PDB file of all heavy atoms in Angstrom:
ATOM      1  N   ASN Y 187      14.002  29.233  -7.674  1.00 97.00           N
ATOM      2  CA  ASN Y 187      13.684  29.854  -8.938  1.00 97.00           C
ATOM      3  C   ASN Y 187      13.709  31.344  -8.807  1.00 97.00           C
ATOM      4  O   ASN Y 187      13.176  31.914  -7.932  1.00 97.00           O
ATOM      5  CB  ASN Y 187      12.359  29.396  -9.422  1.00 97.00           C
ATOM      6  CG  ASN Y 187      11.194  29.869  -8.635  1.00 97.00           C
ATOM      7  OD1 ASN Y 187      10.692  29.200  -7.727  1.00 97.00           O
ATOM      8  ND2 ASN Y 187      10.677  31.056  -8.944  1.00 97.00           N
ATOM      9  N   CYS Y 188      14.400  31.959  -9.807  1.00 96.00           N
ATOM     10  CA  CYS Y 188      14.497  33.422  -9.964  1.00 96.00           C
ATOM     11  C   CYS Y 188      14.666  33.669 -11.362  1.00 96.00           C
ATOM     12  O   CYS Y 188      15.779  33.352 -11.959  1.00 96.00           O
ATOM     13  CB  CYS Y 188      15.602  33.942  -9.140  1.00 96.00           C
ATOM     14  SG  CYS Y 188      15.781  35.757  -9.147  1.00 96.00           S
ATOM     15  N   SER Y 189      13.716  34.247 -12.099  1.00 93.00           N
ATOM     16  CA  SER Y 189      13.766  34.246 -13.550  1.00 93.00           C
ATOM     17  C   SER Y 189      14.913  35.063 -14.160  1.00 93.00           C
ATOM     18  O   SER Y 189      15.559  34.721 -15.040  1.00 93.00           O
ATOM     19  CB  SER Y 189      12.394  34.755 -14.074  1.00 93.00           C
ATOM     20  OG  SER Y 189      11.436  33.745 -13.971  1.00 93.00           O
ATOM     21  N   LEU Y 190      15.077  36.334 -13.581  1.00 91.00           N
ATOM     22  CA  LEU Y 190      15.884  37.330 -14.209  1.00 91.00           C
ATOM     23  C   LEU Y 190      17.259  37.561 -13.711  1.00 91.00           C
ATOM     24  O   LEU Y 190      18.142  38.122 -14.247  1.00 91.00           O
ATOM     25  CB  LEU Y 190      15.190  38.683 -14.238  1.00 91.00           C
ATOM     26  CG  LEU Y 190      13.853  38.623 -15.015  1.00 91.00           C
ATOM     27  CD1 LEU Y 190      13.222  39.989 -14.937  1.00 91.00           C
ATOM     28  CD2 LEU Y 190      14.049  38.313 -16.483  1.00 91.00           C
ATOM     29  N   PHE Y 191      17.548  36.959 -12.446  1.00 94.00           N
ATOM     30  CA  PHE Y 191      18.827  37.122 -11.763  1.00 94.00           C
ATOM     31  C   PHE Y 191      19.441  35.709 -11.536  1.00 94.00           C
ATOM     32  O   PHE Y 191      18.929  35.030 -10.739  1.00 94.00           O
ATOM     33  CB  PHE Y 191      18.757  37.879 -10.537  1.00 94.00           C
ATOM     34  CG  PHE Y 191      20.059  38.133  -9.819  1.00 94.00           C
ATOM     35  CD1 PHE Y 191      21.078  38.837 -10.502  1.00 94.00           C
ATOM     36  CD2 PHE Y 191      20.318  37.675  -8.546  1.00 94.00           C
ATOM     37  CE1 PHE Y 191      22.302  39.027  -9.867  1.00 94.00           C
ATOM     38  CE2 PHE Y 191      21.548  37.854  -7.913  1.00 94.00           C
ATOM     39  CZ  PHE Y 191      22.542  38.575  -8.585  1.00 94.00           C
ATOM     40  N   SER Y 192      20.421  35.384 -12.392  1.00 94.00           N
ATOM     41  CA  SER Y 192      21.038  34.040 -12.283  1.00 94.00           C
ATOM     42  C   SER Y 192      22.540  34.118 -12.241  1.00 94.00           C
ATOM     43  O   SER Y 192      23.272  33.940 -13.211  1.00 94.00           O
ATOM     44  CB  SER Y 192      20.559  33.186 -13.563  1.00 94.00           C
ATOM     45  OG  SER Y 192      21.045  31.886 -13.430  1.00 94.00           O
ATOM     46  N   PRO Y 193      23.045  34.496 -11.072  1.00 94.00           N
ATOM     47  CA  PRO Y 193      24.515  34.752 -10.890  1.00 94.00           C
ATOM     48  C   PRO Y 193      25.350  33.456 -10.785  1.00 94.00           C
ATOM     49  O   PRO Y 193      24.737  32.365 -10.630  1.00 94.00           O
ATOM     50  CB  PRO Y 193      24.601  35.557  -9.630  1.00 94.00           C
ATOM     51  CG  PRO Y 193      23.460  34.927  -8.808  1.00 94.00           C
ATOM     52  CD  PRO Y 193      22.338  34.616  -9.828  1.00 94.00           C
ATOM     53  N   THR Y 194      26.656  33.667 -10.827  1.00 93.00           N
ATOM     54  CA  THR Y 194      27.626  32.578 -10.515  1.00 93.00           C
ATOM     55  C   THR Y 194      28.554  33.185  -9.502  1.00 93.00           C
ATOM     56  O   THR Y 194      29.205  34.178  -9.723  1.00 93.00           O
ATOM     57  CB  THR Y 194      28.394  32.164 -11.772  1.00 93.00           C
ATOM     58  OG1 THR Y 194      27.441  31.700 -12.790  1.00 93.00           O
ATOM     59  CG2 THR Y 194      29.369  31.010 -11.441  1.00 93.00           C
ATOM     60  N   PRO Y 195      28.735  32.448  -8.308  1.00 95.00           N
ATOM     61  CA  PRO Y 195      28.078  31.218  -7.865  1.00 95.00           C
ATOM     62  C   PRO Y 195      26.573  31.402  -7.841  1.00 95.00           C
ATOM     63  O   PRO Y 195      26.040  32.558  -7.676  1.00 95.00           O
ATOM     64  CB  PRO Y 195      28.687  30.975  -6.493  1.00 95.00           C
ATOM     65  CG  PRO Y 195      29.993  31.747  -6.482  1.00 95.00           C
ATOM     66  CD  PRO Y 195      29.707  32.935  -7.361  1.00 95.00           C
ATOM     67  N   SER Y 196      25.895  30.304  -7.954  1.00 97.00           N
ATOM     68  CA  SER Y 196      24.415  30.261  -7.986  1.00 97.00           C
ATOM     69  C   SER Y 196      23.728  30.635  -6.706  1.00 97.00           C
ATOM     70  O   SER Y 196      24.333  30.621  -5.649  1.00 97.00           O
ATOM     71  CB  SER Y 196      23.908  28.964  -8.464  1.00 97.00           C
ATOM     72  OG  SER Y 196      24.104  27.949  -7.436  1.00 97.00           O
ATOM     73  N   LEU Y 197      22.489  30.982  -6.789  1.00 97.00           N
ATOM     74  CA  LEU Y 197      21.634  31.282  -5.551  1.00 97.00           C
ATOM     75  C   LEU Y 197      21.564  29.971  -4.680  1.00 97.00           C
ATOM     76  O   LEU Y 197      21.602  30.055  -3.470  1.00 97.00           O
ATOM     77  CB  LEU Y 197      20.259  31.688  -5.936  1.00 97.00           C
ATOM     78  CG  LEU Y 197      20.232  33.016  -6.736  1.00 97.00           C
ATOM     79  CD1 LEU Y 197      18.769  33.320  -7.107  1.00 97.00           C
ATOM     80  CD2 LEU Y 197      20.847  34.189  -6.025  1.00 97.00           C
ATOM     81  N   CYS Y 198      21.554  28.781  -5.310  1.00 98.00           N
ATOM     82  CA  CYS Y 198      21.550  27.557  -4.525  1.00 98.00           C
ATOM     83  C   CYS Y 198      22.827  27.421  -3.736  1.00 98.00           C
ATOM     84  O   CYS Y 198      22.933  27.072  -2.551  1.00 98.00           O
ATOM     85  CB  CYS Y 198      21.359  26.375  -5.409  1.00 98.00           C
ATOM     86  SG  CYS Y 198      19.689  26.013  -5.857  1.00 98.00           S
ATOM     87  N   ALA Y 199      24.037  27.688  -4.381  1.00 97.00           N
ATOM     88  CA  ALA Y 199      25.330  27.634  -3.775  1.00 97.00           C
ATOM     89  C   ALA Y 199      25.370  28.662  -2.556  1.00 97.00           C
ATOM     90  O   ALA Y 199      25.938  28.350  -1.526  1.00 97.00           O
ATOM     91  CB  ALA Y 199      26.425  27.971  -4.727  1.00 97.00           C
ATOM     92  N   MET Y 200      24.706  29.798  -2.780  1.00 98.00           N
ATOM     93  CA  MET Y 200      24.677  30.809  -1.757  1.00 98.00           C
ATOM     94  C   MET Y 200      24.018  30.336  -0.452  1.00 98.00           C
ATOM     95  O   MET Y 200      24.428  30.539   0.657  1.00 98.00           O
ATOM     96  CB  MET Y 200      23.988  32.069  -2.280  1.00 98.00           C
ATOM     97  CG  MET Y 200      23.898  33.227  -1.330  1.00 98.00           C
ATOM     98  SD  MET Y 200      22.953  34.605  -2.141  1.00 98.00           S
ATOM     99  CE  MET Y 200      21.242  33.986  -1.948  1.00 98.00           C
ATOM    100  N   VAL Y 201      22.858  29.658  -0.689  1.00 98.00           N
ATOM    101  CA  VAL Y 201      22.081  29.111   0.440  1.00 98.00           C
ATOM    102  C   VAL Y 201      22.761  27.971   1.066  1.00 98.00           C
ATOM    103  O   VAL Y 201      22.827  27.861   2.309  1.00 98.00           O
ATOM    104  CB  VAL Y 201      20.628  28.708  -0.042  1.00 98.00           C
ATOM    105  CG1 VAL Y 201      19.916  27.896   1.035  1.00 98.00           C
ATOM    106  CG2 VAL Y 201      19.884  29.973  -0.437  1.00 98.00           C
ATOM    107  N   VAL Y 202      23.310  27.014   0.332  1.00 98.00           N
ATOM    108  CA  VAL Y 202      24.024  25.872   0.846  1.00 98.00           C
ATOM    109  C   VAL Y 202      25.197  26.326   1.724  1.00 98.00           C
ATOM    110  O   VAL Y 202      25.423  25.785   2.835  1.00 98.00           O
ATOM    111  CB  VAL Y 202      24.579  24.983  -0.308  1.00 98.00           C
ATOM    112  CG1 VAL Y 202      25.511  23.935   0.298  1.00 98.00           C
ATOM    113  CG2 VAL Y 202      23.387  24.355  -0.991  1.00 98.00           C
ATOM    114  N   SER Y 203      25.924  27.346   1.276  1.00 97.00           N
ATOM    115  CA  SER Y 203      27.064  27.838   2.081  1.00 97.00           C
ATOM    116  C   SER Y 203      26.579  28.550   3.277  1.00 97.00           C
ATOM    117  O   SER Y 203      27.172  28.386   4.391  1.00 97.00           O
ATOM    118  CB  SER Y 203      27.818  28.845   1.230  1.00 97.00           C
ATOM    119  OG  SER Y 203      28.931  29.434   1.957  1.00 97.00           O
TER     120      SER Y 203
END
Side-chain angles (χ1 to χ4, degrees):
N187 70 263
C188 182
S189 287
L190 298 177
F191 182 59
S192 184
T194 302
S196 69
L197 298 178
C198 280
M200 182 182 80
V201 170
V202 169
S203 175

